[in-house]
Amino acid sequence: MANGDGTAVVNSWNEWDTLREVVVGSADGACYEPTEPGNRPQVRDRPDEPFPTGPKPPEVIAKANEELDRLAEVLESRGIVVRRPAPYDFSQPLRTPHFGVENQYCAVCPRDVMITVGNEIIEATMSRRARYFEYEPYRHLVYEYWESDPRISWTVAPKPTMASAMYREEFWTWPLEERHRRMHQSEFCVTQDEVVFDAADMNRFGRDIVVQESMTTNRAGIRWLKRHLEPRGFRVHPVHFPLDYFPSHIDCTFVPLRTGLILTNPDRPLREDEVALFTENDWKLVEAPEPVLSNSEMPTHCQSSKWLSMNVLSISPTTVICEEQEAPLHDLLTDMGFEVLTVPFRNVFEFGGSLHCATWDIRRDGTAEDLFP
Ligand code: ARG
């Protein structure tokens, strides 16, 4: 495997080694996510009300930015270099040969679009129209890293058309029984004809990359990742959580905390035949406690589940940053020997995620370990 000596400017092989440089998202210019074939946002508990469009109110943006800035300060106080996205006008509509959309989304969740795999930066294809150009606020950083170290590689995954034929619109109207019946088929709102993946559907475990098949990553996307990464010395393992009927992004479902330990979601067990990879290599799967905030108490415009509670950011194999109100999780992690740092983050939730989503690690210690020998 090339350049695996741990000294490159871009170097991150897993989710937990000591963090040295990270990008923290920003709510500047954020808009409500538009309704489109790959996304049907709903006002919580008032599903018949139209979801707002256009820019989010300035006070909503200011509150999220306060929490994002606070996270940046905590990281800096630990000696970690923090970088931020460039300003971008998300209120611009998009028109491509294949689709139009009234506005774009935000730069709060770099995790969704950007991933560091060893010494390589990959920009995901993305799966939703409003997120088609979401790599742009990070390009100044990508250029800087790429110019500063010849060992860095930079890959832009093939852009899908996001034309109507790429989506399965009936998905949104399937009754629950239908979803249950189909739970092992892994057919969601994207079809299988084009390469589609969001970066946040991956977990990095050294030379092993785990990818969730979901509403935001299809089998062609996983095939592309395999054919791109396996000749470079990685192994790509597809995973499934059949009881999650609306899967998107793995970091509220399956969260590795250090070598040998994964935090799991008790409502979304890993498919039975996929557990062996972990248990046979002596990895322990520990269930996250019930979140403090219930689904009905999540912010009105938040499209994520209560399991944002487990969307933690590891800054070393012994230190984890958690949302400040999730006391049962703090206790569990403390009991398992972690130092737990906390920050308020609930005002970020309606921008698509929590602490892991809102960050993109550029450099951590470590090299390409084989953790599943
Ligand atoms: N779909 C997940 C849930 O609701 C939220 C995932 C957020 N992750 C992210 N990287 N944006 O549980």
Side-chain angles (χ1 to χ4, degrees):
M1 185 170 295
N3 306 329
D5 69 354
T7 62
V9 166
V10 173
N11 181 79
S12 181
W13 300 86
N14 60 40
E15 309 291 336
W16 61 84
D17 269 337
T18 301
L19 186 61
R20 303 294 179 186
E21 180 159 345
V22 69
V23 178
V24 171
S26 160
D28 288 350
C31 288
Y32 287 103
E33 52 206 294
T35 297
E36 52 167 302
N39 192 19
R40 290 269 179 101
Q42 287 187 346
V43 181
R44 217 165 257 273
D45 298 325
R46 298 196 300 278
D48 298 327
E49 202 171 289
F51 199 77
T53 57
K56 294 208 186 225
E59 59 284 6
V60 171
I61 290 181
K63 278 190 187 167
N65 272 338
E66 240 174 74
E67 295 183 346
L68 289 158
D69 292 349
R70 169 92 188 104
L71 170 65
E73 281 165 24
V74 169
L75 292 164
E76 281 166 345
S77 76
R78 294 282 169 142
I80 298 162
V81 176
V82 175
R83 311 298 303 273
R84 307 301 296 270
Y88 183 89
D89 182 5
F90 292 98
S91 70
Q92 293 171 94
L94 292 184
R95 175 82 246 169
T96 77
H98 305 287
F99 70 81
V101 73
E102 67 259 48
N103 61 256
Q104 302 171 59
Y105 187 33
C106 65
V108 173
C109 293
R111 187 74 61 183
D112 297 359
V113 55
M114 308 298 294
I115 186 167
T116 304
V117 181
N119 304 122
E120 178 174 13
I121 292 172
I122 301 178
E123 296 176 10
T125 70
M126 300 312 275
S127 52
R128 292 179 184 167
R129 294 170 174 180
R131 310 190 75 174
Y132 196 85
F133 288 107
E134 213 170 285
Y135 58 87
E136 285 205 0
Y138 310 103
R139 272 281 170 92
H140 66 298
L141 298 169
V142 175
Y143 267 104
E144 182 195 309
Y145 298 132
W146 184 76
E147 296 286 7
S148 72
D149 189 335
R151 296 171 293 177
I152 307 311
S153 49
W154 169 25
T155 300
V156 178
K159 276 291 187 193
T161 60
M162 301 197 189
S164 300
M166 200 183 101
Y167 298 98
R168 184 181 288 111
E169 288 231 48
E170 325 83 81
F171 169 82
W172 299 104
T173 58
W174 288 344
L176 268 190
E177 313 81 76
E178 171 90 4
R179 290 184 197 282
H180 191 75
R181 202 172 54 73
R182 289 173 176 263
M183 71 182 171
H184 287 295
Q185 295 172 8
S186 300
E187 292 294 346
F188 305 107
C189 53
V190 287
T191 57
Q192 302 299 336
D193 307 328
E194 295 191 54
V195 169
V196 176
F197 70 92
D198 279 9
D201 278 309
M202 282 178 265
N203 279 154
R204 298 157 305 150
F205 294 82
R207 53 169 300 193
D208 292 276
I209 308 293
V210 162
V211 196
Q212 165 182 239
E213 212 180 315
S214 70
M215 303 194 297
T216 41
T217 295
N218 66 4
R219 292 194 281 283
I222 297 177
R223 218 152 52 233
W224 185 88
L225 285 163
K226 251 184 186 293
R227 281 159 67 170
H228 179 74
L229 291 170
E230 294 196 338
R232 291 167 171 76
F234 292 93
R235 293 174 294 222
V236 174
H237 310 273
V239 292
H240 303 82
F241 304 89
L243 291 181
D244 188 356
Y245 298 148
F246 296 90
S248 161
H249 305 155
I250 197 168
D251 52 2
C252 292
T253 303
F254 204 67
V255 176
L257 294 171
R258 65 180 176 222
T259 301
L261 182 64
I262 300 169
L263 189 65
T264 63
N265 182 323
D267 288 352
R268 303 173 183 168
L270 177 61
R271 207 171 78 185
E272 247 168 79
D273 57 313
E274 293 169 348
V275 176
L277 172 70
F278 302 95
T279 51
E280 280 172 10
N281 286 288
D282 292 327
W283 283 69
K284 217 167 121 188
L285 275 51
V286 174
E287 287 187 355
E290 188 57 31
V292 169
L293 215 57
S294 69
N295 275 330
S296 60
E297 294 165 317
M298 295 293 276
T300 314
H301 295 106
C302 173
Q303 301 303 299
S304 306
S305 73
K306 61 184 179 185
W307 294 108
L308 283 182
S309 64
M310 59 187 284
N311 192 253
V312 300
L313 176 67
S314 292
I315 61 168
S316 83
T318 55
T319 308
V320 184
I321 310 184
C322 297
E323 210 285 327
E324 86 181 348
Q325 299 187 54
E326 293 299 331
L329 180 61
H330 307 163
D331 294 344
L332 174 77
L333 294 172
T334 308
D335 287 347
M336 292 192 298
F338 291 96
E339 173 193 17
V340 176
L341 307 181
T342 66
V343 291
F345 223 61
R346 289 188 178 181
N347 291 299
V348 178
F349 288 4
E350 70 163 86
F351 295 78
S354 192
L355 293 147
H356 190 259
C357 314
T359 51
W360 160 35
D361 37 300
I362 301 300
R363 192 167 63 257
R364 292 182 185 263
D365 288 351
T367 55
E369 279 183 274
D370 188 351
L371 302 170
F372 300 92

